Amino acid sequence: MLVRDAMSSVVLTIGPTHTLRQAARLMAARRVGAAVVLDTDHCGIGILTERDILVSLGAEQDPDTETAGTHTTGDVVFAAPSWTLEEAAEAMTNGGFRHLIVLDGHEPVGVVSVRDIIRCWAPVRTRASAMAG
């Protein structure tokens, strides 16, 4: 199975000037754990995750003044839609993160998460176990 089969193609995109509170509200409303941060003036494409927001709150920073751009992971590992789920899982494991932005050329076309991969693998593994037993 490929990343294109598992990824969410509805991508939450925010700008670097969104506050962490705004980002959290949008992520909660969309029920996603990450937002793609597009900064055309500087670093290009980054990602803001639930963990980034938690780290800021844990450091007692104000979510109404802290911006997504300040907390965005800029050294993002990108996936291609043609990657296998195994390749995506390996990249996540090696990098210690749970989301990959999926690029087609230079455009973000999706996000794949550990949850997406598990959702795809679980039925396959369950069927294989049932057939073996």
Side-chain angles (χ1 to χ4, degrees), residues 7 14 16 22 27 29 38 41 50 52 60 63 75 82 110 114 116 120 126-127 131:
M7 72 182 195
I14 62 174
Q22 290 170 323
M27 290 164 65
L38 294 179
D41 294 334
E50 295 164 318
D52 298 323
E60 298 184 15
D75 57 341
S82 60
V114 169
D116 296 327
C120 290
T126 302
R127 283 194 304 270
M131 291 172 58

Side-chain angles (χ1 to χ4, degrees), residues 61-98:
Q61 295 174 335
D62 183 353
D64 292 314
T65 58
E66 293 295 316
T67 62
T70 305
H71 296 277
T72 296
T73 301
D75 57 341
V76 179
V77 175
F78 298 101
S82 60
W83 278 19
T84 65
L85 294 185
E86 289 80 7
E87 289 173 301
E90 184 176 339
M92 290 178 190
T93 300
N94 291 340
F97 43 80
R98 298 175 291 170

Side-chain angles (χ1 to χ4, degrees), residues 1-6 82-86 117 120-121 124:
M1 190 168 280
L2 302 178
V3 165
R4 75 170 49 90
D5 303 318
S82 60
W83 278 19
T84 65
L85 294 185
E86 289 80 7
I117 293 171
C120 290
W121 281 349
V124 173

Side-chain angles (χ1 to χ4, degrees), residues 13-131:
T13 305
I14 62 174
T17 59
H18 278 80
T19 67
L20 293 187
R21 185 176 307 279
Q22 290 170 323
R25 282 187 179 140
L26 291 168
M27 290 164 65
R30 294 268 188 97
R31 299 181 55 105
V32 297
V36 175
V37 181
L38 294 179
D39 185 353
T40 55
D41 294 334
H42 294 97
C43 64
I45 301 172
I47 191 166
L48 179 74
T49 67
E50 295 164 318
R51 183 178 299 166
D52 298 323
I53 295 170
L54 285 173
V55 167
S56 176
L57 292 174
E60 298 184 15
Q61 295 174 335
D62 183 353
D64 292 314
T65 58
E66 293 295 316
T67 62
T70 305
H71 296 277
T72 296
T73 301
D75 57 341
V76 179
V77 175
F78 298 101
S82 60
W83 278 19
T84 65
L85 294 185
E86 289 80 7
E87 289 173 301
E90 184 176 339
M92 290 178 190
T93 300
N94 291 340
F97 43 80
R98 298 175 291 170
H99 299 86
L100 289 170
I101 298 172
V102 183
L103 293 183
D104 189 4
H106 296 291
E107 295 297 316
V109 294
V111 173
V112 66
S113 69
V114 169
R115 181 178 293 165
D116 296 327
I117 293 171
I118 291 170
R119 192 176 301 127
C120 290
W121 281 349
V124 173
R125 302 226 190 279
T126 302
R127 283 194 304 270
S129 295
M131 291 172 58

